[in-house]
Amino acid sequence: MSTDELKANVEFALQEIRPYLEADGGNISLIEITNDTVSVQLEGACLGCSVNQMTLKNGVEATIKRHAPQIKHVIEINGISF
């Protein structure tokens, strides 16, 4: 899978989960894909939510891995751009 195809698959996965985050006043942005790791930024109400790590692991990471199986890790950068 090319880099562009991988990015498209990850973006598609984020689009799939985004309505659930938006329903709770949050959102998510793709920051970077490096090797087998996707870096995302949770936004809005997701930043201070007490269950955001559960959302990240069980929702975001699982959805991304379903669309891009070569991804092994999804990390949240806590609002810090790099």
Side-chain angles (χ1 to χ4, degrees):
M1 179 179 304
S2 75
T3 303
D4 288 339
E5 290 171 322
L6 178 59
K7 183 177 180 184
N9 284 356
V10 170
E11 286 285 7
F12 185 82
L14 294 179
Q15 281 298 103
E16 186 175 303
I17 195 127
R18 190 167 277 123
Y20 301 102
L21 300 175
E22 289 174 342
D24 287 332
N27 206 343
I28 191 166
S29 294
L30 173 63
I31 301 301
E32 182 178 54
I33 302 171
T34 307
N35 301 320
D36 62 355
T37 302
V38 171
S39 299
V40 297
Q41 182 175 350
L42 293 172
E43 301 168 352
C46 290
L47 283 176
C49 180
S50 62
V51 295
N52 70 7
Q53 290 305 307
M54 186 174 66
T55 298
L56 187 66
K57 187 73 173 172
N58 296 331
V60 177
E61 185 173 68
T63 303
I64 288 173
K65 286 180 175 180
R66 192 171 67 247
H67 291 282
Q70 65 271 49
I71 297 299
K72 304 297 181 212
H73 310 282
V74 176
I75 59 172
E76 201 278 320
I77 62 163
N78 297 315
I80 301 168
S81 298
F82 55 92

